[in-house]
Amino acid sequence: MNTDPLAQRLELAITLVREAGARAMRHFRSPDLVTASKGLQDPVTVADREVERHLVDAIAQRFPSDAVIGEEGGAHGTVRVDTPVWVIDPIDGTDNFARGLPLWCVSVGVVVGSRAEFGLILAPALDEFYVARRGHGCTRNGAPVHVSSRGEAGRARINLGYSRRRPAAGHLQCIERLLANDFEYSRLGSGALGLAYVADGRFDGYWEAHINSWDVAAGLCIAAEAGAWVSDFFAGDALHAGNPILACTPALAAPLRRLLGPLSTPAL
Ligand code: LIP
């Protein structure tokens, strides 16, 4: 049996994320899918809550002293700097999920102190499973992935996230600055998938003015292990309060920090 405590947790996480994906798929495109609203343009479905409960219960059973932070149920257990914290988004891209669009995923990351130790992102409707462990690289369906080599603005596409947690003005300024400096942009509706696609070289960067830890805990490890430059997301109380995020190819870090840093609080 593996005695490495993080490897034991990663082994369990791989099983649990697959189970979570199967549970979510049972609701995906179901005509009876019950959806409620948490606020403006912020939906939640019965699947989000069911999948999170499944994950939280299974983790508590196997690792009762670990803390868990989930998008729907909040914090379980006590967050301490030296013990693992499971940071969970049962369905990231809920609006896409509720509309029957396949761009959603289950995201599970484990953080110790202010470092993401491993991350898993499963997009069941696309049959793509990203797994990364700090210092061990990143894979999609078992094959290594790496960020793109694009370093010029004129060939780069930056994926953006936006929510009503911040004024639209900052988001519109970001688009203006990117276009005025030869970058292209797009918006997917899932921060976790956005980071996974940076890791996979499908996008050359991801930026959002404010994002929650459950949207990015897994993606941060996945992007960093694939060679991305990643901002210091876990500074301050980001685990509970969120932060801005930038992840991109190393060559694009300086120009993107110059352009988008001023739009981020705290600065990138
Ligand atoms: C989504 C994030 C995305 C953000 C959306 C939303 P959800 O998470 O992944 O980055 O722009 O507003 O917060 O609500 O689908 O889990």
Side-chain angles (χ1 to χ4, degrees):
M1 188 172 96
N2 199 320
T3 55
D4 167 355
L6 283 173
Q8 290 171 353
R9 285 166 172 79
L10 179 54
E11 214 174 288
L12 175 72
I14 290 170
T15 306
L16 289 184
V17 167
R18 287 193 195 288
E19 290 170 1
R23 271 175 186 267
M25 282 300 286
R26 286 200 281 275
H27 293 280
F28 185 51
R29 294 181 179 154
S30 147
D32 320 317
L33 179 66
V34 177
T35 302
S37 173
K38 297 192 288 185
L40 185 59
Q41 298 289 356
D42 194 5
V44 60
T45 73
V46 65
D48 294 76
R49 294 191 170 127
E50 179 194 314
V51 169
E52 182 164 317
R53 213 168 23 249
H54 172 70
L55 292 167
V56 169
D57 292 351
I59 294 161
Q61 202 172 18
R62 179 74 186 282
F63 297 107
S65 61
D66 289 5
V68 180
I69 295 178
E71 173 170 7
E72 307 314 334
H76 307 261
T78 313
V79 173
R80 286 188 292 269
V81 283
D82 55 355
T83 54
V85 183
W86 298 69
V87 189
I88 295 172
D89 193 338
I91 298 181
D92 188 52
T94 298
D95 194 54
N96 291 339
F97 178 87
R99 292 169 185 279
L101 295 165
L103 294 167
W104 57 274
C105 60
V106 178
S107 175
V108 171
V110 162
V111 176
V112 180
S114 59
R115 274 202 301 210
E117 289 294 342
F118 66 73
L120 301 93
I121 291 175
L122 171 63
L126 300 167
D127 193 22
E128 294 190 323
F129 195 6
Y130 294 88
V131 177
R133 181 175 174 191
R134 191 169 63 82
H136 298 251
C138 174
T139 60
R140 171 183 22 91
N141 297 350
V145 295
H146 203 275
V147 295
S148 83
S149 59
R150 296 184 203 95
E152 308 136 58
R155 293 182 52 234
R157 188 200 285 197
I158 310 303
N159 190 241
L160 302 177
Y162 175 67
S163 73
R164 308 290 160 145
R165 294 183 298 271
R166 289 292 180 273
H171 184 65
L172 298 172
Q173 266 186 305
C174 163
I175 293 171
E176 240 170 39
R177 288 178 181 210
L178 289 175
L179 294 177
N181 289 274
D182 303 341
F183 286 96
E184 183 50 278
Y185 77 95
S186 54
R187 186 180 166 204
L188 208 66
S190 162
L193 276 183
L195 291 169
Y197 291 168
V198 170
D200 212 344
R202 295 174 180 174
F203 291 129
D204 308 299
Y206 184 84
W207 181 80
E208 187 157 358
H210 176 273
I211 196 162
N212 290 304
S213 59
W214 48 78
D215 297 317
V216 296
L220 285 168
C221 184
I222 286 167
E225 284 302 311
W229 178 91
V230 178
S231 59
D232 180 17
F233 176 83
F234 283 112
D237 185 26
L239 208 48
H240 301 96
N243 245 340
I245 179 112
L246 174 64
C248 57
T249 67
L252 291 174
L256 288 174
R257 292 177 76 186
R258 214 175 20 255
L259 284 176
L260 306 179
L263 303 176
S264 315
T265 316
L268 296 167

